[in-house]
Amino acid sequence: MAAKETKEPTAKETVMAAYVTDNYFSKGHWWTKIWQTLMAIVFWICVAIPVYWTISSTLLINNHRFIHAWRYEEGRTLFYFFDRFFIIAFIILAVIVIISTIHNNHRVKQHVEKTVQYDEAQLLARKQQLEAFYTARFGNKDFRENVRSYHVKPEQNLEVNEIHKLYKKEEK
């Protein structure tokens, strides 16, 4: 038998493992997966049945390929009587959903505790390395930030992955 090959993680998989935490898609957590899948199916059924019921019994009443929930004229008359109500209700619900989404996004951005996804000490060290590199390559920080026009000489251009190589060299 041939030995199993070990698959090296790609860069995307490494980044996903470092920054994305979701019990549904991670290994294990079977009860979470079963519960969330069942709830999603149940709630989609709760959305689909009334929509099908209403459309099949009003707009598609003459199409015999559909099973109609009701066929009596009073139901259709009542539906078309309330069409303005349904349109207004839809608009009001859409406004409420949009306002709730904006409020929730604001609450998440401003009030929910955020977990730090990076090493602050390493970030500070990298900023210092980058500043020293820029000072050596392009001149003083005050000059770089306050000059109106700056022309980079061809020998000052950055190579591909030069900053990445700088970080790797300093980490060793």
Side-chain angles (χ1 to χ4, degrees):
M1 277 178 71
K4 278 191 173 180
E5 294 181 26
T6 57
K7 180 181 170 190
E8 292 292 323
T10 63
K12 181 180 178 181
E13 290 171 345
T14 305
V15 169
M16 293 288 284
Y19 293 108
V20 177
T21 55
D22 188 353
N23 290 340
Y24 188 86
F25 293 105
S26 62
K27 292 184 179 179
H29 307 283
W30 286 104
W31 289 114
T32 302
K33 292 177 185 179
I34 292 169
W35 174 251
Q36 288 183 2
T37 303
L38 286 176
M39 287 296 101
I41 291 169
V42 166
F43 286 122
W44 274 114
I45 289 171
C46 290
V47 168
I49 288 176
V51 169
Y52 177 80
W53 182 342
T54 304
I55 291 175
S56 70
S57 299
T58 56
L59 303 175
L60 303 174
I61 193 68
N62 295 327
N63 192 334
H64 298 291
R65 287 184 287 168
F66 291 94
I67 299 172
H68 304 289
W70 36 264
R71 290 187 154 276
Y72 50 90
E73 187 63 32
E74 294 85 6
R76 283 192 304 281
T77 305
L78 188 62
F79 174 79
Y80 289 116
F81 175 74
F82 283 122
D83 63 349
R84 286 187 190 101
F85 169 76
F86 289 141
I87 291 170
I88 292 170
F90 177 77
I91 292 170
I92 290 172
L93 286 174
V95 168
I96 289 171
V97 166
I98 291 169
I99 290 172
S100 297
T101 301
I102 292 170
H103 172 70
N104 190 46
N105 289 344
H106 172 74
R107 190 177 65 80
V108 166
K109 287 180 183 175
Q110 301 299 326
H111 302 291
V112 175
E113 184 178 350
K114 297 175 179 95
T115 59
V116 176
Q117 300 280 329
Y118 58 89
D119 183 7
E120 288 192 44
Q122 182 186 28
L123 177 65
L124 185 59
R126 284 184 171 186
K127 281 184 178 181
Q128 291 172 349
Q129 291 169 0
L130 203 54
E131 186 57 39
F133 175 77
Y134 285 157
T135 301
R137 178 75 62 101
F138 303 110
N140 190 344
K141 181 176 182 174
D142 292 331
F143 170 73
R144 289 192 321 259
E145 292 179 353
N146 295 315
V147 70
R148 187 169 286 219
S149 175
Y150 183 79
H151 298 284
V152 177
K153 298 172 189 162
E155 59 269 8
Q156 287 179 311
N157 285 335
L158 297 176
E159 296 175 15
V160 176
N161 293 331
E162 188 167 358
I163 304 297
H164 185 68
K165 291 174 187 173
L166 174 72
Y167 290 158
K168 283 200 173 206
K169 182 178 77 172
E170 294 296 326
E171 287 175 2
K172 290 181 180 179

